[in-house]
Coordinates of all heavy atoms in Angstrom, one line a residue:
S585 N 55.8 37.7 127.5 CA 54.8 36.9 127.9 C 53.4 37.6 127.7 O 53.4 38.8 127.7 CB 55.0 36.6 129.4 OG 54.5 37.6 130.3
P586 N 52.4 36.8 127.6 CA 51.0 37.5 127.4 C 50.6 38.4 128.6 O 50.0 39.4 128.4 CB 50.1 36.2 127.3 CG 51.0 35.1 126.9 CD 52.3 35.4 127.5
L587 N 51.0 38.0 129.8 CA 50.6 38.8 130.9 C 51.3 40.2 130.9 O 50.7 41.2 131.1 CB 51.0 38.1 132.2 CG 50.6 38.8 133.5 CD1 49.1 39.0 133.6 CD2 51.1 37.9 134.7
A588 N 52.6 40.2 130.5 CA 53.3 41.4 130.4 C 52.8 42.3 129.3 O 52.6 43.5 129.5 CB 54.8 41.2 130.2
L589 N 52.4 41.7 128.2 CA 51.9 42.4 127.1 C 50.5 43.0 127.5 O 50.3 44.2 127.2 CB 51.7 41.5 125.9 CG 51.1 42.1 124.6 CD1 51.9 43.3 124.1 CD2 50.9 41.1 123.5
G590 N 49.7 42.2 128.2 CA 48.4 42.7 128.6 C 48.5 43.9 129.6 O 47.8 44.9 129.5
A591 N 49.5 43.8 130.5 CA 49.7 44.9 131.5 C 50.2 46.1 130.8 O 49.8 47.2 131.1 CB 50.7 44.4 132.5
A592 N 51.1 46.0 129.8 CA 51.6 47.1 129.1 C 50.5 47.8 128.3 O 50.4 49.0 128.2 CB 52.8 46.7 128.1
L593 N 49.7 47.0 127.6 CA 48.6 47.6 126.8 C 47.6 48.3 127.7 O 47.1 49.4 127.4 CB 47.9 46.5 126.0 CG 48.7 46.0 124.7 CD1 47.9 44.9 124.1 CD2 48.9 47.2 123.8
G594 N 47.3 47.7 128.9 CA 46.4 48.3 129.8 C 46.9 49.6 130.3 O 46.1 50.6 130.4
L595 N 48.2 49.6 130.7 CA 48.8 50.9 131.1 C 48.7 51.9 130.1 O 48.4 53.1 130.3 CB 50.2 50.6 131.6 CG 51.0 51.8 132.1 CD1 50.3 52.4 133.3 CD2 52.4 51.5 132.5
M596 N 49.1 51.5 128.8 CA 49.1 52.5 127.7 C 47.7 53.1 127.5 O 47.5 54.3 127.4 CB 49.5 51.8 126.4 CG 49.6 52.8 125.2 SD 50.1 52.0 123.7 CE 48.5 51.2 123.3
F597 N 46.6 52.3 127.5 CA 45.3 52.8 127.3 C 44.9 53.6 128.5 O 44.2 54.6 128.4 CB 44.3 51.6 127.1 CG 44.4 51.0 125.7 CD1 44.8 49.7 125.6 CD2 44.2 51.8 124.6 CE1 44.9 49.2 124.3 CE2 44.3 51.3 123.3 CZ 44.6 50.0 123.2
A598 N 45.3 53.3 129.7 CA 44.9 54.1 130.9 C 45.5 55.5 130.8 O 44.9 56.5 131.1 CB 45.4 53.4 132.2
V599 N 46.8 55.5 130.4 CA 47.5 56.8 130.3 C 47.0 57.6 129.2 O 46.7 58.8 129.3 CB 49.0 56.6 130.2 CG1 49.7 57.9 129.8 CG2 49.6 56.0 131.4
L600 N 46.8 57.1 128.0 CA 46.4 57.8 126.8 C 44.9 58.2 126.9 O 44.5 59.2 126.4 CB 46.7 57.0 125.5 CG 48.1 56.8 125.2 CD1 48.3 55.9 124.0 CD2 48.9 58.1 125.0
G601 N 44.1 57.4 127.5 CA 42.7 57.6 127.6 C 42.2 58.4 128.8 O 41.1 58.8 128.9
A602 N 43.1 58.7 129.7 CA 42.8 59.4 130.9 C 42.6 60.9 130.7 O 43.2 61.5 129.9 CB 43.9 59.2 132.0
R603 N 41.6 61.4 131.4 CA 41.4 62.9 131.4 C 42.3 63.5 132.4 O 42.7 62.8 133.3 CB 39.9 63.2 131.8 CG 38.9 62.8 130.8 CD 37.5 63.1 131.3 NE 37.6 64.2 132.3 CZ 36.6 65.1 132.5 NH1 35.5 65.0 131.8 NH2 36.7 66.0 133.4
P604 N 42.6 64.7 132.3 CA 43.5 65.4 133.3 C 42.8 65.2 134.6 O 41.6 65.3 134.7 CB 43.5 66.9 132.9 CG 43.2 66.8 131.4 CD 42.3 65.6 131.2
A605 N 43.6 65.0 135.7 CA 43.0 64.8 137.0 C 42.1 65.9 137.5 O 41.1 65.7 138.1 CB 44.2 64.6 138.0
M606 N 42.5 67.2 137.2 CA 41.7 68.3 137.6 C 41.6 69.3 136.5 O 42.4 70.2 136.4 CB 42.3 69.0 138.8 CG 42.3 68.1 140.1 SD 42.4 69.2 141.5 CE 42.3 68.0 142.8
A607 N 40.6 69.1 135.6 CA 40.4 70.0 134.5 C 39.6 71.2 135.1 O 38.6 71.0 135.7 CB 39.6 69.3 133.4
V608 N 40.2 72.4 134.9 CA 39.6 73.6 135.5 C 38.3 74.0 134.6 O 38.4 74.0 133.4 CB 40.6 74.7 135.5 CG1 40.0 76.0 135.9 CG2 41.7 74.4 136.4
D609 N 37.3 74.4 135.3 CA 36.0 74.8 134.7 C 35.8 76.2 135.1 O 35.2 76.5 136.2 CB 34.9 73.8 135.1 CG 33.6 74.2 134.4 OD1 33.4 75.3 133.9 OD2 32.7 73.3 134.5
L610 N 36.2 77.2 134.3 CA 36.0 78.6 134.7 C 34.6 79.0 134.7 O 34.2 79.9 135.5 CB 36.8 79.5 133.7 CG 38.3 79.4 133.8 CD1 39.0 80.3 132.8 CD2 38.8 79.6 135.2
E611 N 33.7 78.4 133.9 CA 32.3 78.7 134.0 C 31.7 78.3 135.3 O 30.9 79.1 135.9 CB 31.5 78.1 132.8 CG 31.7 78.7 131.5 CD 30.9 78.1 130.4 OE1 29.9 77.5 130.7 OE2 31.3 78.2 129.2
N612 N 32.1 77.1 135.8 CA 31.7 76.7 137.1 C 32.3 77.6 138.2 O 31.6 78.0 139.1 CB 32.1 75.2 137.4 CG 31.6 74.8 138.7 OD1 30.4 74.9 139.1 ND2 32.5 74.3 139.6
G613 N 33.5 78.0 138.0 CA 34.1 79.0 138.9 C 33.4 80.3 139.0 O 33.2 80.8 140.1
E614 N 32.9 80.8 137.9 CA 32.1 82.0 137.9 C 30.8 81.7 138.7 O 30.3 82.6 139.5 CB 31.8 82.5 136.5 CG 30.9 83.7 136.5 CD 30.7 84.3 135.1 OE1 30.7 83.5 134.1 OE2 30.4 85.5 135.0
T615 N 30.1 80.6 138.5 CA 28.9 80.3 139.2 C 29.1 80.2 140.7 O 28.3 80.7 141.5 CB 28.3 78.9 138.6 OG1 28.1 79.1 137.2 CG2 27.0 78.5 139.3
V616 N 30.2 79.5 141.1 CA 30.5 79.4 142.5 C 30.8 80.8 143.1 O 30.3 81.1 144.2 CB 31.8 78.4 142.7 CG1 32.2 78.4 144.1 CG2 31.4 77.0 142.2
F617 N 31.5 81.6 142.3 CA 31.8 82.9 142.8 C 30.6 83.7 143.0 O 30.4 84.4 144.1 CB 32.8 83.7 141.8 CG 33.2 85.0 142.2 CD1 34.3 85.2 143.0 CD2 32.4 86.1 141.8 CE1 34.7 86.5 143.4 CE2 32.8 87.4 142.2 CZ 33.9 87.6 143.0
L618 N 29.7 83.7 142.0 CA 28.4 84.5 142.1 C 27.6 84.0 143.3 O 26.9 84.8 143.9 CB 27.7 84.4 140.8 CG 28.4 85.1 139.6 CD1 27.6 84.9 138.3 CD2 28.5 86.6 139.9
G619 N 27.6 82.7 143.6 CA 26.8 82.2 144.6 C 27.3 82.3 146.0 O 26.6 82.2 147.0
N620 N 28.7 82.4 146.1 CA 29.3 82.3 147.4 C 30.2 83.5 147.8 O 30.4 83.8 148.9 CB 30.1 81.1 147.5 CG 29.3 79.8 147.4 OD1 28.7 79.4 148.4 ND2 29.2 79.3 146.2
C621 N 30.7 84.2 146.8 CA 31.7 85.2 147.0 C 31.3 86.6 146.7 O 31.8 87.6 147.3 CB 33.0 84.9 146.2 SG 33.5 83.2 146.2
A622 N 30.4 86.8 145.7 CA 30.1 88.1 145.2 C 29.5 89.0 146.2 O 29.6 90.2 146.1 CB 29.2 87.9 143.9
A623 N 28.8 88.5 147.2 CA 28.2 89.4 148.2 C 29.3 90.3 148.9 O 29.0 91.4 149.1 CB 27.5 88.5 149.3
C624 N 30.5 89.8 149.1 CA 31.6 90.6 149.6 C 32.6 91.0 148.6 O 33.3 92.0 148.8 CB 32.3 89.8 150.7 SG 31.3 89.4 152.2
H625 N 32.7 90.3 147.4 CA 33.7 90.5 146.5 C 33.2 90.9 145.1 O 33.9 90.6 144.1 CB 34.6 89.3 146.4 CG 35.4 89.0 147.6 ND1 36.4 89.8 148.0 CD2 35.3 88.0 148.5 CE1 36.9 89.3 149.1 NE2 36.3 88.2 149.5
A626 N 32.1 91.5 144.9 CA 31.5 91.9 143.6 C 32.5 92.8 142.9 O 33.1 93.7 143.5 CB 30.2 92.6 143.8
G627 N 32.8 92.5 141.7 CA 33.7 93.3 140.9 C 35.1 93.3 141.3 O 35.9 94.1 141.0
G628 N 35.5 92.2 142.1 CA 36.8 92.1 142.6 C 37.1 93.0 143.8 O 38.3 93.1 144.2
N629 N 36.1 93.6 144.3 CA 36.3 94.5 145.5 C 36.1 93.7 146.8 O 36.0 92.5 146.7 CB 35.3 95.7 145.4 CG 35.7 96.6 144.3 OD1 36.8 97.1 144.2 ND2 34.7 96.8 143.4
N630 N 36.2 94.4 147.9 CA 36.0 93.7 149.2 C 35.2 94.7 150.1 O 35.7 95.8 150.4 CB 37.4 93.4 149.8 CG 37.3 92.6 151.1 OD1 36.3 92.8 151.9 ND2 38.2 91.8 151.4
T631 N 34.0 94.3 150.4 CA 33.1 95.2 151.1 C 33.4 95.2 152.6 O 32.9 96.0 153.4 CB 31.6 94.9 150.9 OG1 31.4 93.5 151.4 CG2 31.3 95.0 149.5
I632 N 34.2 94.2 153.1 CA 34.5 94.1 154.5 C 35.8 94.8 154.9 O 35.9 95.5 155.8 CB 34.5 92.6 155.0 CG1 33.3 91.9 154.5 CG2 34.8 92.4 156.4 CD1 32.0 92.4 155.1
V633 N 36.9 94.4 154.1 CA 38.2 95.0 154.3 C 38.7 95.6 153.0 O 39.2 94.9 152.1 CB 39.3 93.9 154.8 CG1 40.6 94.5 155.1 CG2 38.7 93.2 156.1
A634 N 38.4 96.8 152.8 CA 38.5 97.5 151.5 C 39.8 97.3 150.8 O 39.8 97.1 149.5 CB 38.2 99.0 151.6
E635 N 40.9 97.3 151.5 CA 42.2 97.2 150.8 C 42.5 95.7 150.3 O 43.4 95.5 149.5 CB 43.3 97.7 151.7 CG 43.6 96.9 152.9 CD 42.7 97.3 154.1 OE1 41.8 98.1 154.0 OE2 43.0 96.8 155.2
K636 N 41.8 94.7 150.8 CA 42.0 93.4 150.4 C 41.1 92.9 149.3 O 40.3 92.0 149.4 CB 42.0 92.4 151.6 CG 43.1 92.7 152.6 CD 43.2 91.6 153.6 CE 44.5 91.9 154.5 NZ 44.7 90.9 155.5
K637 N 41.3 93.6 148.2 CA 40.5 93.3 147.0 C 41.0 92.0 146.3 O 42.0 91.5 146.7 CB 40.6 94.5 146.0 CG 40.1 95.8 146.5 CD 40.4 96.9 145.5 CE 39.8 98.2 145.8 NZ 39.7 98.7 147.2
L638 N 40.3 91.6 145.3 CA 40.7 90.5 144.5 C 41.4 90.9 143.2 O 41.6 90.1 142.3 CB 39.5 89.6 144.2 CG 38.8 89.0 145.4 CD1 37.6 88.1 144.9 CD2 39.7 88.2 146.3
K639 N 41.7 92.2 143.1 CA 42.4 92.7 142.0 C 43.9 92.4 142.1 O 44.4 92.2 143.2 CB 42.2 94.2 141.9 CG 40.7 94.5 141.7 CD 40.4 96.0 141.7 CE 38.9 96.1 141.5 NZ 38.4 97.5 141.4
K640 N 44.5 92.2 140.9 CA 45.9 91.7 140.9 C 46.9 92.5 141.8 O 47.6 91.8 142.6 CB 46.5 91.8 139.4 CG 47.9 91.3 139.3 CD 48.4 91.3 137.9 CE 49.8 90.8 137.8 NZ 50.3 90.9 136.4
E641 N 46.8 93.8 141.8 CA 47.7 94.6 142.7 C 47.6 94.2 144.1 O 48.6 94.0 144.8 CB 47.5 96.1 142.6 CG 47.4 96.6 141.1 CD 46.0 96.4 140.5 OE1 44.9 96.8 141.0 OE2 45.9 95.7 139.4
A642 N 46.4 94.0 144.6 CA 46.2 93.6 146.0 C 46.6 92.2 146.3 O 47.2 91.9 147.3 CB 44.7 93.9 146.4
L643 N 46.3 91.3 145.4 CA 46.7 89.9 145.5 C 48.2 89.8 145.6 O 48.7 89.0 146.4 CB 46.1 89.0 144.4 CG 44.6 88.9 144.4 CD1 44.1 88.1 143.2 CD2 44.1 88.2 145.7
V644 N 48.9 90.5 144.8 CA 50.3 90.5 144.8 C 50.8 91.1 146.1 O 51.7 90.5 146.8 CB 50.9 91.3 143.6 CG1 52.4 91.6 143.8 CG2 50.6 90.6 142.3
T645 N 50.3 92.2 146.6 CA 50.7 92.8 147.8 C 50.5 91.9 149.0 O 51.4 91.8 149.9 CB 49.8 94.1 148.1 OG1 50.1 95.0 147.0 CG2 50.2 94.7 149.4
Y646 N 49.5 91.1 149.0 CA 49.2 90.2 150.2 C 49.6 88.8 149.9 O 49.3 87.9 150.7 CB 47.7 90.3 150.5 CG 47.3 91.7 151.1 CD1 46.7 92.6 150.3 CD2 47.7 92.1 152.3 CE1 46.4 93.9 150.7 CE2 47.4 93.3 152.8 CZ 46.7 94.2 152.0 OH 46.5 95.5 152.5
G647 N 50.4 88.5 148.9 CA 51.0 87.2 148.6 C 49.9 86.2 148.2 O 50.1 85.0 148.5
K648 N 48.9 86.6 147.6 CA 47.8 85.7 147.2 C 47.6 85.6 145.6 O 46.7 85.1 145.2 CB 46.4 86.2 147.7 CG 46.4 86.5 149.2 CD 46.4 85.2 150.0 CE 46.3 85.5 151.5 NZ 46.2 84.3 152.3
Y649 N 48.6 86.2 144.9 CA 48.5 86.1 143.4 C 49.0 84.8 142.9 O 50.1 84.7 142.3 CB 49.1 87.3 142.7 CG 48.8 87.4 141.3 CD1 47.5 87.6 140.8 CD2 49.8 87.3 140.3 CE1 47.2 87.7 139.5 CE2 49.5 87.4 139.0 CZ 48.2 87.6 138.5 OH 47.9 87.7 137.2
D650 N 48.4 83.7 143.3 CA 48.8 82.4 143.0 C 47.6 81.5 143.3 O 46.9 81.6 144.3 CB 49.9 82.0 144.0 CG 50.3 80.5 143.8 OD1 51.0 80.2 142.8 OD2 49.9 79.7 144.7
V651 N 47.3 80.6 142.3 CA 46.1 79.8 142.5 C 46.1 78.9 143.8 O 45.1 78.8 144.5 CB 45.9 78.8 141.2 CG1 44.7 77.8 141.5 CG2 45.6 79.7 140.0
G652 N 47.3 78.4 144.1 CA 47.4 77.6 145.3 C 47.1 78.5 146.6 O 46.4 78.0 147.5
A653 N 47.5 79.7 146.6 CA 47.3 80.6 147.7 C 45.8 80.9 147.8 O 45.2 81.0 148.9 CB 48.1 81.9 147.6
I654 N 45.2 81.1 146.7 CA 43.7 81.4 146.6 C 42.9 80.2 147.1 O 42.0 80.3 147.9 CB 43.3 81.9 145.2 CG1 44.0 83.2 144.8 CG2 41.7 82.1 145.2 CD1 43.8 83.6 143.4
I655 N 43.3 79.0 146.7 CA 42.7 77.8 147.1 C 42.8 77.7 148.7 O 41.8 77.3 149.3 CB 43.3 76.5 146.4 CG1 42.9 76.4 145.0 CG2 42.9 75.2 147.2 CD1 43.6 75.4 144.2
K656 N 44.0 77.9 149.2 CA 44.2 77.9 150.6 C 43.2 78.9 151.4 O 42.6 78.6 152.4 CB 45.6 78.1 151.0 CG 45.9 78.0 152.4 CD 47.4 78.2 152.7 CE 47.7 78.2 154.2 NZ 49.1 78.5 154.5
Q657 N 43.2 80.1 150.8 CA 42.3 81.1 151.4 C 40.8 80.7 151.4 O 40.2 80.9 152.4 CB 42.5 82.4 150.7 CG 41.6 83.6 151.1 CD 42.2 84.3 152.4 OE1 43.4 84.2 152.7 NE2 41.3 85.0 153.1
V658 N 40.4 80.2 150.3 CA 39.0 79.8 150.2 C 38.7 78.6 151.1 O 37.7 78.6 151.8 CB 38.6 79.5 148.7 CG1 37.2 78.9 148.6 CG2 38.7 80.7 147.8
T659 N 39.6 77.7 151.1 CA 39.4 76.5 151.9 C 39.4 76.8 153.4 O 38.5 76.3 154.1 CB 40.5 75.4 151.6 OG1 40.4 75.1 150.2 CG2 40.2 74.1 152.4
N660 N 40.4 77.5 153.9 CA 40.6 77.7 155.3 C 40.1 79.0 155.8 O 40.0 79.2 157.1 CB 42.1 77.6 155.6 CG 42.7 76.2 155.2 OD1 42.0 75.2 155.3 ND2 43.8 76.2 154.6
G661 N 39.8 80.0 155.0 CA 39.5 81.3 155.4 C 40.7 82.0 156.1 O 41.8 81.3 156.2
N662 N 40.6 83.2 156.4 CA 41.7 83.9 157.1 C 41.1 85.3 157.4 O 40.5 85.9 156.6 CB 42.9 84.0 156.2 CG 44.1 84.6 156.9 OD1 44.2 84.4 158.1 ND2 45.0 85.2 156.2
G663 N 41.5 85.8 158.6 CA 41.0 87.1 159.0 C 39.5 87.2 159.0 O 38.8 86.3 159.6
A664 N 38.9 88.1 158.3 CA 37.5 88.3 158.3 C 36.8 87.3 157.3 O 35.6 87.2 157.4 CB 37.1 89.7 157.9
M665 N 37.5 86.7 156.5 CA 36.9 85.7 155.5 C 36.7 84.4 156.1 O 37.6 83.8 156.7 CB 37.8 85.6 154.3 CG 37.2 84.7 153.2 SD 38.1 84.7 151.7 CE 37.5 83.2 151.0
P666 N 35.5 83.9 156.0 CA 35.2 82.5 156.5 C 35.8 81.4 155.6 O 36.0 81.6 154.5 CB 33.6 82.5 156.5 CG 33.2 83.4 155.4 CD 34.3 84.5 155.4
A667 N 35.9 80.3 156.2 CA 36.4 79.1 155.5 C 35.2 78.5 154.7 O 34.1 78.5 155.2 CB 36.9 78.0 156.4
F668 N 35.5 78.1 153.5 CA 34.5 77.4 152.6 C 34.8 75.9 152.4 O 34.2 75.3 151.6 CB 34.4 78.2 151.3 CG 33.6 79.5 151.4 CD1 34.3 80.6 151.8 CD2 32.3 79.5 151.2 CE1 33.6 81.8 151.9 CE2 31.6 80.7 151.3 CZ 32.2 81.9 151.7
G669 N 35.8 75.4 153.1 CA 36.3 74.1 152.8 C 35.3 73.0 153.2 O 35.3 71.9 152.6
E670 N 34.3 73.3 154.1 CA 33.3 72.3 154.4 C 32.0 72.6 153.6 O 31.1 71.7 153.6 CB 33.0 72.3 155.9 CG 34.2 71.8 156.7 CD 34.0 71.6 158.2 OE1 32.8 71.7 158.6 OE2 34.9 71.5 158.9
K671 N 31.9 73.7 153.0 CA 30.7 74.1 152.2 C 30.9 73.7 150.8 O 29.9 73.3 150.1 CB 30.4 75.6 152.4 CG 29.2 76.0 151.6 CD 28.9 77.5 151.8 CE 27.6 77.8 151.1 NZ 27.3 79.2 151.1
L672 N 32.1 73.9 150.2 CA 32.3 73.7 148.8 C 33.2 72.4 148.6 O 34.1 72.2 149.5 CB 33.0 74.9 148.2 CG 32.3 76.2 148.2 CD1 33.1 77.3 147.7 CD2 31.0 76.1 147.4
G673 N 33.0 71.7 147.6 CA 33.9 70.6 147.3 C 35.2 71.1 146.7 O 35.4 72.2 146.2
P674 N 36.2 70.2 146.7 CA 37.6 70.5 146.1 C 37.5 71.0 144.7 O 38.3 72.0 144.3 CB 38.4 69.3 146.3 CG 37.6 68.4 147.2 CD 36.2 68.8 147.2
D675 N 36.7 70.4 143.8 CA 36.6 70.9 142.4 C 36.1 72.3 142.3 O 36.6 73.1 141.6 CB 35.8 69.9 141.6 CG 36.5 68.6 141.4 OD1 37.7 68.4 141.6 OD2 35.8 67.6 140.9
D676 N 35.0 72.6 143.1 CA 34.4 73.9 143.1 C 35.4 74.9 143.6 O 35.5 76.0 143.1 CB 33.2 74.0 143.9 CG 32.0 73.3 143.3 OD1 32.0 73.1 142.0 OD2 31.0 72.9 144.0
I677 N 36.2 74.6 144.7 CA 37.2 75.5 145.2 C 38.3 75.7 144.2 O 38.7 76.9 144.0 CB 37.8 74.9 146.5 CG1 36.7 75.0 147.6 CG2 39.0 75.7 146.9 CD1 37.1 74.4 148.9
E678 N 38.7 74.7 143.5 CA 39.8 74.9 142.5 C 39.2 75.7 141.3 O 39.9 76.6 140.8 CB 40.3 73.5 141.9 CG 41.4 73.7 140.9 CD 41.9 72.5 140.3 OE1 41.1 71.5 140.3 OE2 42.9 72.5 139.7
D679 N 38.0 75.5 140.9 CA 37.4 76.3 139.8 C 37.3 77.8 140.2 O 37.6 78.6 139.4 CB 36.0 75.7 139.4 CG 36.1 74.4 138.7 OD1 37.2 74.0 138.3 OD2 35.1 73.7 138.6
V680 N 36.8 78.0 141.4 CA 36.6 79.4 141.8 C 38.0 80.1 142.0 O 38.1 81.3 141.7 CB 35.7 79.6 143.0 CG1 36.4 79.2 144.3 CG2 35.1 81.0 143.1
A681 N 38.9 79.4 142.5 CA 40.3 80.0 142.6 C 40.9 80.3 141.3 O 41.5 81.4 141.1 CB 41.2 79.0 143.4
N682 N 40.7 79.5 140.3 CA 41.2 79.8 139.0 C 40.4 80.9 138.3 O 41.0 81.7 137.6 CB 41.1 78.5 138.1 CG 42.3 77.6 138.3 OD1 43.4 77.9 137.7 ND2 42.2 76.6 139.1
Y683 N 39.1 81.0 138.6 CA 38.3 82.1 138.1 C 38.8 83.4 138.7 O 39.0 84.4 137.9 CB 36.8 81.8 138.5 CG 35.9 83.0 138.1 CD1 35.5 83.3 136.8 CD2 35.5 83.9 139.2 CE1 34.7 84.4 136.6 CE2 34.7 85.0 138.9 CZ 34.3 85.2 137.6 OH 33.5 86.3 137.3
V684 N 39.0 83.4 140.0 CA 39.5 84.7 140.6 C 40.9 85.1 140.0 O 41.1 86.2 139.7 CB 39.6 84.5 142.1 CG1 40.4 85.6 142.8 CG2 38.2 84.5 142.7
F685 N 41.8 84.1 139.9 CA 43.1 84.3 139.4 C 43.0 84.9 138.0 O 43.7 85.9 137.6 CB 43.9 83.1 139.4 CG 45.4 83.3 138.9 CD1 46.3 83.8 139.8 CD2 45.7 83.0 137.7 CE1 47.6 84.0 139.3 CE2 47.0 83.2 137.2 CZ 48.0 83.7 138.0
N686 N 42.2 84.3 137.2 CA 42.0 84.8 135.8 C 41.4 86.1 135.6 O 41.6 86.8 134.7 CB 41.3 83.7 134.9 CG 42.2 82.6 134.6 OD1 43.1 82.7 133.8 ND2 41.9 81.4 135.1
K687 N 40.5 86.5 136.6 CA 39.8 87.8 136.6 C 40.6 88.9 137.2 O 40.3 90.1 137.0 CB 38.5 87.7 137.3 CG 37.4 86.9 136.6 CD 36.9 87.5 135.3 CE 36.0 88.7 135.7 NZ 35.3 89.3 134.6
A688 N 41.6 88.6 138.0 CA 42.3 89.5 138.9 C 42.9 90.7 138.1 O 42.8 91.8 138.6 CB 43.4 88.8 139.6
D689 N 43.4 90.5 136.9 CA 43.9 91.6 136.1 C 42.9 92.2 135.2 O 43.2 93.1 134.4 CB 45.2 91.2 135.4 CG 44.9 90.1 134.3 OD1 43.8 89.5 134.3 OD2 45.9 89.9 133.5
K690 N 41.7 91.8 135.3 CA 40.6 92.3 134.4 C 39.6 93.2 135.2 O 38.8 93.9 134.6 CB 39.9 91.2 133.7 CG 40.8 90.4 132.8 CD 40.1 89.2 132.3 CE 41.0 88.3 131.4 NZ 42.1 87.6 132.1
W691 N 39.6 93.0 136.5 CA 38.6 93.8 137.4 C 39.1 95.2 137.5 O 40.2 95.5 137.5 CB 38.5 93.2 138.7 CG 37.4 92.1 138.8 CD1 36.2 92.1 138.2 CD2 37.5 90.8 139.5 NE1 35.5 90.9 138.5 CE2 36.3 90.2 139.3 CE3 38.5 90.2 140.3 CZ2 36.0 88.9 139.9 CZ3 38.2 89.0 140.8 CH2 37.0 88.3 140.6

């Protein structure tokens, strides 16, 4: 039927033409990091709680070497780190979390 054909074509174009729901922007992540995180975490270090660096070894030790865990930490805060969930939007939080994860073994 014409209606079924139209629905099928519409669905095909929606799926094929859609952008990924959350495309990560590491450049934006770096900008967010420099503007919000670098005061305490410059170079992947931690000026407040020295052992809780953003370097891979520390992230692994504290169960944070995972983008989802970093997103949770940035959004909700924990310990001495404040929450940024009301200050930053979800896309910025995802971008900065991916930036930290990607830099963790380079710092």
Side-chain angles (χ1 to χ4, degrees):
S585 83
L587 183 59
L589 178 61
L593 286 174
L595 179 61
M596 181 181 79
F597 286 118
V599 170
L600 295 177
R603 289 180 26 151
M606 293 205 177
V608 174
D609 182 345
L610 294 179
E611 286 183 23
N612 182 54
E614 180 178 24
T615 300
V616 173
F617 183 86
L618 293 173
N620 296 277
C621 314
C624 295
H625 293 292
N629 292 305
N630 187 326
T631 60
I632 307 299
V633 183
E635 65 274 10
K636 293 194 174 180
K637 296 172 173 44
L638 300 181
K639 298 177 182 182
K640 182 178 178 179
E641 311 80 57
L643 292 175
V644 169
T645 298
Y646 294 103
K648 306 285 185 181
Y649 191 61
D650 172 76
V651 172
I654 299 169
I655 288 172
K656 183 178 177 184
Q657 177 80 23
V658 172
T659 303
N660 303 319
N662 189 28
M665 182 171 160
F668 285 85
E670 292 186 15
K671 181 177 181 185
L672 301 173
D675 289 346
D676 286 340
I677 291 173
E678 183 183 18
D679 290 346
V680 78
N682 277 281
Y683 172 78
V684 167
F685 182 80
N686 282 296
K687 289 289 287 184
D689 63 350
K690 297 171 182 73
W691 274 319

